[in-house]
Amino acid sequence: MLDADARAVLDLMEASGRPPLHTLSVEEARAAVRASLDALGKPPPPVGEQDIFADGPLGAVPLKLYRPLHAPEDVPLPVMVYFHGGGWMTGDLAYGAWFCASLADRAGIAVVSVDYRLAPEYPFPAGLEDCVAALRHVRREAPALAIDGTRIAVGGDSAGGNLAAACALWARDEGLPLSAQILLYPVTDLMEEHESYRRNADGFGLTADAMRWFRDAYRNGADAADWRLSPLRARRLKGVAPALVLTCGFDPLCAEGDAYADRLAGAGVPVNRIRYTDQIHGFVLWAKRVRAADQALSQIAEELRGRLFA
């Protein structure tokens, strides 16, 4: 059964009268996502924050570094590099502010959030290139940032989970060891619509139509079989970082997240699967309205502590 908090969120969405995302202009969709997060999310807890920049293919990529207040500024901390969701088309540094600050505080780590370029203005591979540039920057500048460059994780939600999975594959091939990849209801396959697309096509927040709109704008005609777009289609997954894969029962993306976890496990990659059978896509950032968000945050923090402090 659908969680009561999730049901209440869906009722709020319906009562707002907002048209479906895929029927809006890009700017209207971005404003709608910002408004939803304002209504459903909490303000970030007090942590240390620093605005930094990575050298990207077309100039500076804005980053925000979070550190727990209880950590001495000169002590190198493990880090998670976070890529926000929003269909590769919406979202910014504010999108994941509560999640990043809360995770830094609760896990006792640094978190670097990446403001990558968005489609449709900058379709694939622009966003991914910025994420890779951010990861390189964190590794290269680790001493100056009081980060332990030998203990790095990547993570993201939805489209950000897609970028995190692709970055984990890239890091393996580049010889940059990662300690973990945190994939929250990730997009893993742009070639095929899996079974949950039909089962959860409409009525649960994220719709199949909205996902098609996001995917088409980001892909922009590129080969959907490219592993950088569809990590599930990568020929080899052996040797990538250990993964936490979180999926939701009422989510169009549920089945492709499960399929990716299956492939990782089959390749000998340690996988921690967390299934919220009663939740909808996006709930982890909705701590103001969905009580399960705090539980999920604690599970993610525990996973990162286990991987980064081992």
Side-chain angles (χ1 to χ4, degrees):
M1 292 182 62
L2 187 64
D3 172 63
D5 291 346
R7 177 73 267 169
V9 166
L10 294 175
D11 291 343
L12 280 173
M13 291 179 179
E14 183 176 358
S16 74
R18 188 196 75 190
L21 278 179
H22 67 281
T23 68
L24 302 176
S25 71
V26 173
E27 286 306 318
E28 288 171 339
R30 289 171 180 164
V33 169
R34 286 194 295 269
S36 293
L37 285 172
D38 287 343
L40 302 174
K42 288 183 176 180
V47 293
E49 297 183 17
Q50 181 181 356
D51 292 320
I52 56 178
F53 298 90
D55 292 328
L58 291 184
V61 180
L63 314 175
K64 186 173 285 289
L65 170 63
Y66 297 87
R67 288 177 64 92
L69 292 178
H70 55 76
E73 293 184 2
D74 58 345
V75 174
L77 293 179
V79 65
M80 186 182 84
V81 182
Y82 167 76
F83 313 121
H84 66 76
W88 307 278
M89 290 175 65
T90 73
D92 50 25
L93 291 177
Y95 179 101
W98 171 82
F99 177 76
C100 291
S102 298
L103 193 59
D105 182 63
R106 197 166 300 188
I109 63 172
V111 178
V112 172
S113 183
V114 182
D115 195 10
Y116 57 86
R117 286 171 291 164
L118 299 176
E121 297 92 337
Y122 300 99
F124 172 83
L128 178 59
E129 289 175 344
D130 286 354
C131 293
V132 168
L135 190 53
R136 283 179 170 147
H137 180 84
V138 168
R139 176 68 182 273
R140 183 178 61 250
E141 301 298 324
L145 298 173
I147 284 172
D148 184 343
T150 68
R151 294 184 288 171
I152 300 176
V154 293
D157 55 296
S158 193
N162 171 274
L163 294 167
C167 280
L169 286 160
W170 168 84
R172 177 202 62 189
D173 294 343
E174 289 292 310
L176 192 165
L178 296 179
S179 299
Q181 52 180 320
I182 306 298
L183 311 180
L184 310 180
Y185 26 83
V187 184
T188 66
D189 190 6
L190 272 65
M191 278 196 71
E192 177 186 346
E193 294 184 354
H194 293 246
E195 172 272 335
S196 55
Y197 253 76
R198 297 179 292 276
R199 174 165 44 90
N200 299 319
D202 198 12
F204 301 109
L206 178 67
T207 66
D209 285 339
M211 273 309 307
R212 293 180 189 119
W213 184 56
F214 289 140
R215 287 170 183 240
D216 289 347
Y218 178 58
R219 179 186 168 193
N220 195 35
D223 182 4
D226 188 324
W227 62 265
R228 296 173 299 167
L229 280 167
S230 300
L232 184 62
R233 303 293 169 172
R235 291 184 179 180
R236 186 174 66 92
L237 295 181
K238 184 177 180 180
V240 299
L244 180 151
V245 181
L246 184 150
T247 57
C248 304
F250 292 89
D251 181 1
L253 305 183
C254 179
E256 64 191 82
D258 288 340
Y260 196 59
D262 288 342
R263 275 213 63 201
L264 288 169
V269 177
V271 180
N272 180 8
R273 305 167 188 251
I274 300 176
R275 166 67 70 83
Y276 278 83
T277 58
D278 59 354
Q279 279 300 338
I280 60 177
H281 188 91
F283 83 95
V284 173
L285 301 186
W286 301 340
K288 183 178 178 180
R289 296 282 185 173
V290 181
R291 284 165 288 187
D294 190 73
Q295 177 183 339
L297 178 73
S298 292
Q299 291 173 305
I300 296 162
E302 181 179 0
E303 177 78 10
L304 285 167
R305 284 195 299 269
R307 295 294 177 190
L308 292 172
F309 291 99

